[in-house]
Amino acid sequence: MRLSVISSPRRICRALPAALCLFVALNASPAWAWGPLGHLIVARIAEREVGSKAASRLRFYLEKEGGIESAARWAGDIAGERPDTARWSFIHIAPSAMELDLTQQCPANDCVTVKIREFEGIARLGVRDRTQITEAVKFMIHLMGDLHQPLHAGYASDEGGGKIPVLLNGRQMSLLDAWETTLVERLGTDDAAIADRLLQKMTSAQREQWSDGNLRDWTWESHLLAARVAYGALPSGSPKALNEDYIAQAAQVIETQLMKAGVRLARILDRTWP
């Protein structure tokens, strides 16, 4: 039996024995790609990077919704009420794949790459009512974070790391949970301070380089990072004890992906409202 996306594995685990907690972590369907902290960091970076016209449109659509910070969390928060949206946060790509082929990897057009494009179109055309456009904008903000979490472009066989048990900080969890929450928290706990620090760290050259490409390119980039680092650098054994070398590699990827997601989200929004 699989658990509903209504409940967070971490929240459930607080009340369960360690062995049962690991079962929950490995069998819960993902509703967040980065966890709330990561999504907030991405949103705050984008808010600082976006152009004036897009910033104005964001205020128009989100002023009654709690702003971009609330929008960043929204799609994860409503996943329990709308379980059909959980599939939109990832795309499964086989280890043998040599390129992104959406006809094979997203045949129902319900993966993260296609849904971002769909919601971008809704926001750009602006022909639907305000509620529908606002929802599209909120999904764009959240899903752009999802797109840059490498394991959300991982393998179907292990549900993007959700079925791989690991040990981290003396605790058992899934590889997916480690990447989406525990490893992100090594950056700190204050999302605004982390975003400020990452913004100061970015160079103009990086911003320009990261803005190149499109959703397909960025999806494949995430998949390669999953293959090379999230999966490829894993130690042997089960559960796999994440050592300092693995943690250091993962931390670098996570920091860079959060920055890329923020910059690229800003560019998508600028393109939506030029």
Side-chain angles (χ1 to χ4, degrees), residues 9 12 89 115 133 155 177:
I12 296 171
S89 72
K115 296 306 289 188
I133 297 172
Y155 307 148
D177 191 45

Side-chain angles (χ1 to χ4, degrees), residues 122-252:
I122 291 172
R124 181 189 295 115
L125 291 174
V127 296
R128 302 195 185 187
D129 64 42
R130 179 169 174 169
T131 299
Q132 292 174 309
I133 297 172
T134 299
E135 181 171 296
V137 172
K138 291 190 291 186
F139 270 122
M140 285 169 61
I141 292 168
H142 188 89
L143 294 178
M144 277 297 288
D146 293 341
L147 182 71
H148 288 79
Q149 210 281 53
L151 285 169
H152 273 238
Y155 307 148
S157 58
D158 54 62
E159 296 190 0
K163 289 188 173 182
I164 298 177
V166 301
L167 287 171
L168 179 60
N169 298 337
R171 293 192 299 113
Q172 292 188 97
M173 63 189 74
S174 71
L175 180 65
L176 177 62
D177 191 45
W179 272 76
E180 67 187 5
T181 304
T182 309
L183 289 169
V184 178
E185 290 172 350
R186 293 175 68 88
L187 293 172
T189 58
D190 186 330
D191 56 275
I194 297 168
D196 286 343
R197 186 170 74 246
L198 296 182
L199 281 159
Q200 292 171 8
K201 187 174 182 178
M202 292 181 206
T203 66
S204 297
Q206 285 176 321
R207 286 177 169 89
E208 183 176 353
Q209 178 186 358
W210 294 340
S211 297
D212 284 342
N214 53 43
L215 291 169
R216 294 174 62 93
D217 298 329
W218 304 336
T219 301
W220 188 246
E221 176 186 74
S222 286
H223 172 69
L224 292 180
L225 287 169
R228 294 168 182 168
V229 180
Y231 294 120
L234 277 173
S236 58
S238 182
K240 300 179 182 298
L242 303 186
N243 54 37
E244 287 303 315
D245 181 59
Y246 183 92
I247 291 170
Q249 291 185 65
Q252 181 59 55

Side-chain angles (χ1 to χ4, degrees), residues 4 60 64 69 120 140 228:
S4 167
F60 174 76
K64 297 180 181 179
E69 294 86 2
E120 181 187 356
M140 285 169 61
R228 294 168 182 168

Side-chain angles (χ1 to χ4, degrees), residues 2 5 9 28-33 79 85-87 89-90 152 159 162 176 180:
R2 299 195 60 75
V5 294
S29 299
W32 296 91
T85 67
R87 170 65 188 164
S89 72
F90 58 90
H152 273 238
E159 296 190 0
L176 177 62
E180 67 187 5

